[in-house]
Amino acid sequence: MERLIAERGAGAMTRRSALLALSATMLSPALMAQQTKAVIPTRRLNNVMIAVSDVNRSAAFYEKLFGPPVRQGEAVIFRVGAGPHFFALTPVKGGAKPGYLSYGMTVADFDAEKTMRTLSDLGIRGAQITRRGDTQELFVPDADGIKVQLQHTAYGYGSGARGDILPRQPIPFAAPPFLLKTVNHVTLTIANGAREREFYDTVFKLPIRALQGTGVTLAIGEGTDGIVFNPTTNNPNATPGINHACFTIENFDPNKVMGILIANGLEPIENGIPALVKPLTCRVRLRQRANNGGGPSSPLGTAELYFTDPDNIPVQIQDVSYCGGSGWLGQICP
């Protein structure tokens, strides 16, 4: 991108045109040929599934912060916003480590069999339809094997053909400290950035919404939902997976959020020191201009807040306006 800017002259390229140029460079000749084929039209980030070592312990932890969940079989469902979006806790199985299992996106006019045919036409292998009661659930591994769920826009891990018949939400005795509004993004740890970008271009044709250094945020739908990864990564020793999920709240104030987390037993730590990160810690990162943070309206940087749960699983909390861009709230995107 710096080369493109230099060739066009200082100040000639806006951030928007730079993103458009980068989007174009991400398409290989093979991908450009494939664009005549149908892609899968995604609408929103719908869910994240999390495997935990002690479901009751983790459910109690998250309930203190976000309010009471709904129990459906072995899963504990925390609604996000007015629904149907959610995150869910399930017990770890087969000696696996706690962590994120999958993330889900909704699809316009979703039909499981039709979506499977589209994936096959695009040369994608490994997708499968499972059945939970009378609900079909479709999962496809991305290029690094990260599990992606595709469902109807009404899906909420309920019953019925669309998974949209939901049990009644418990009424909390008192308002929880945080009222989650959206699943904002998932950040992926990957081994091969070129392979990963090809998958998301081929299957979903997601545009780039924001840059953070060499990392990109791919836009899902018209809101602020996104998928974050580094397309320049080439690390065969990496263990691919979901690094963290981000949820939003209204009127985000990192000072107040940190105070609430500390009052609920979390330990504040310095950001940028991996050895300090352990279960039940919280920290704030001030993302700077080199990573498209801060900017003229926020010289201090862009505030990004993370905490870890009892299994040391990281979670990010941001404002509903957050798009991965600059400004104090990360709300300025091209």
Side-chain angles (χ1 to χ4, degrees), residues 233-251:
T233 298
N234 183 16
N235 180 9
N237 296 319
T239 302
I242 300 170
N243 175 272
H244 68 267
C246 175
F247 304 98
T248 65
I249 60 174
E250 292 182 335
N251 302 314

Side-chain angles (χ1 to χ4, degrees), residues 250-271:
E250 292 182 335
N251 302 314
F252 172 77
D253 180 333
N255 193 49
K256 290 182 179 178
V257 174
M258 285 289 286
I260 292 170
L261 293 174
I262 293 167
N264 280 274
L266 279 74
E267 175 188 355
I269 61 171
E270 294 285 347
N271 187 63

Side-chain angles (χ1 to χ4, degrees), residues 39-317:
V39 296
I40 296 174
T42 57
R43 289 295 179 259
R44 294 291 306 274
L45 266 179
N46 173 265
N47 72 78
V48 287
M49 302 293 292
I50 308 172
V52 297
S53 61
D54 185 327
V55 170
N56 289 333
R57 179 184 65 173
S58 293
F61 168 78
Y62 284 108
E63 182 172 351
K64 283 199 305 181
L65 299 178
F66 305 135
V70 173
R71 291 184 179 261
Q72 295 176 237
E74 64 179 8
V76 179
I77 312 297
F78 287 86
R79 298 287 167 209
V80 175
H85 307 152
F86 65 94
F87 73 91
L89 310 177
T90 63
V92 293
K93 296 180 179 178
K97 294 181 179 179
Y100 291 98
L101 295 173
S102 64
Y103 75 91
M105 294 187 284
T106 55
V107 175
D109 302 317
F110 177 76
D111 177 277
E113 300 294 345
K114 179 182 176 182
T115 303
M116 287 288 284
R117 289 194 296 271
T118 300
L119 290 168
S120 179
D121 290 345
L122 292 169
I124 305 302
R125 301 292 178 260
Q128 61 177 338
I129 296 173
T130 62
R131 191 170 282 277
R132 183 179 48 82
D134 54 356
T135 305
Q136 287 185 323
E137 296 177 327
L138 192 157
F139 295 90
V140 58
D142 75 6
D144 266 357
I146 298 168
K147 200 173 183 181
V148 182
Q149 184 176 6
L150 302 176
Q151 296 295 149
H152 192 276
T153 52
Y155 176 82
Y157 202 82
S159 58
R162 303 189 307 183
D164 61 343
I165 302 174
L166 309 177
R168 180 173 297 181
Q169 182 72 21
I171 299 174
F173 293 111
F178 303 114
L179 295 175
L180 298 182
K181 292 300 181 181
T182 66
V183 185
N184 179 267
H185 70 263
V186 289
T187 294
L188 309 181
T189 298
I190 59 175
N192 188 311
R195 184 174 62 198
E196 195 80 344
R197 77 190 186 195
E198 184 169 346
F199 171 86
Y200 285 99
D201 284 335
T202 300
V203 180
F204 306 113
K205 199 171 174 56
L206 302 179
I208 295 175
R209 173 181 292 127
L211 299 172
Q212 294 186 14
T214 55
V216 299
T217 298
L218 302 183
I220 302 170
E222 299 299 323
T224 58
D225 301 1
I227 302 167
V228 182
F229 64 88
N230 189 337
T232 69
T233 298
N234 183 16
N235 180 9
N237 296 319
T239 302
I242 300 170
N243 175 272
H244 68 267
C246 175
F247 304 98
T248 65
I249 60 174
E250 292 182 335
N251 302 314
F252 172 77
D253 180 333
N255 193 49
K256 290 182 179 178
V257 174
M258 285 289 286
I260 292 170
L261 293 174
I262 293 167
N264 280 274
L266 279 74
E267 175 188 355
I269 61 171
E270 294 285 347
N271 187 63
I273 306 177
L276 296 180
V277 179
K278 59 184 181 180
L280 304 181
T281 56
C282 52
R283 64 193 188 279
V284 174
R285 171 196 183 197
L286 293 177
R287 179 161 49 83
Q288 302 300 317
R289 297 189 189 197
N291 285 317
N292 190 33
S297 66
S298 182
L300 189 62
T302 296
E304 296 175 326
L305 191 149
Y306 303 85
F307 69 85
T308 53
D309 77 356
D311 283 308
N312 207 28
I313 297 169
V315 176
Q316 184 177 355
I317 298 289

